[in-house]
Amino acid sequence: RSCYMAARLGHASADSIDQCTAALANEPLDLRDRAGTFINRGTLRLRQKAWVLALADFDAAIALQPRIGEGHVNRAAALIGLARPADAVAASDQGLALNPSEPEKAYFNRATARELTGDVEGAYRDYMKAVELAPDWEAPKAELKRFTVAPK
């Protein structure tokens, strides 16, 4: 529970990561909870920009429960951090296909990755979709301010 709450609230301290690690080592978790704990720890590692460790956690979660969309969505964020945008687009696509609980994050990740690959139109569409799904989220709105739409 403490690992989940730390990830939910964004408290990416060494102590919160240790709590996740302890839960994985000591708690009798079913497959879904074990995968969720890897996702939570990976999310905390994303906040610390520990891209390789985060990716390892998301890969472990996906190996346990490949149908949890959040594992793929967060994997995309780690891949962006590792400068692997084409792989991040693919991971975002996989996450979206699995109906994640926060699809706006998948669209945001895919937009970021698409922009890095040179697909500016695709990036724009995905940022717009993220805003449509989460109108109060400022991050995609801020990204859209950089775009100029020209008539065709």
Side-chain angles (χ1 to χ4, degrees):
R1 177 101 178 121
S2 60
C3 175
Y4 167 78
M5 290 307 297
R8 188 82 180 137
L9 299 173
H11 297 153
S13 67
D15 184 52
S16 60
I17 290 172
D18 288 346
Q19 290 172 1
C20 296
T21 302
L24 289 165
N26 303 320
E27 297 295 323
L29 303 170
D30 64 24
L31 282 180
R32 185 165 181 81
D33 287 343
R34 188 167 197 68
T37 302
F38 275 116
I39 292 170
N40 291 335
R41 186 173 72 178
T43 301
L44 295 171
R45 287 175 165 168
L46 279 179
R47 290 189 173 276
Q48 292 184 330
K49 298 184 180 180
W51 312 123
V52 171
L53 294 173
L55 183 61
D57 280 343
F58 300 133
D59 286 345
I62 291 166
L64 292 171
Q65 292 283 281
R67 309 255 341 129
I68 297 178
E70 286 70 19
H72 298 278
V73 171
N74 289 320
R75 185 174 191 275
L79 290 165
I80 291 166
L82 291 167
R84 293 172 50 191
D87 294 333
V89 169
S92 295
D93 289 344
Q94 286 179 297
L96 283 166
L98 296 169
N99 299 312
S101 61
E102 296 175 302
E104 65 275 10
K105 291 181 179 179
Y107 283 104
F108 184 86
N109 289 345
R110 190 170 72 180
T112 302
R114 281 183 165 171
E115 192 170 359
L116 291 168
T117 65
D119 179 5
V120 177
E121 285 184 38
Y124 177 80
R125 284 192 308 273
D126 281 348
Y127 285 132
M128 289 293 290
K129 186 67 175 180
V131 169
E132 177 188 321
L133 293 171
D136 295 330
W137 188 23
E138 290 302 317
K141 289 181 192 176
E143 295 300 326
L144 283 169
K145 289 178 183 175
R146 299 180 299 104
F147 288 79
T148 304
V149 178
K152 288 189 174 190

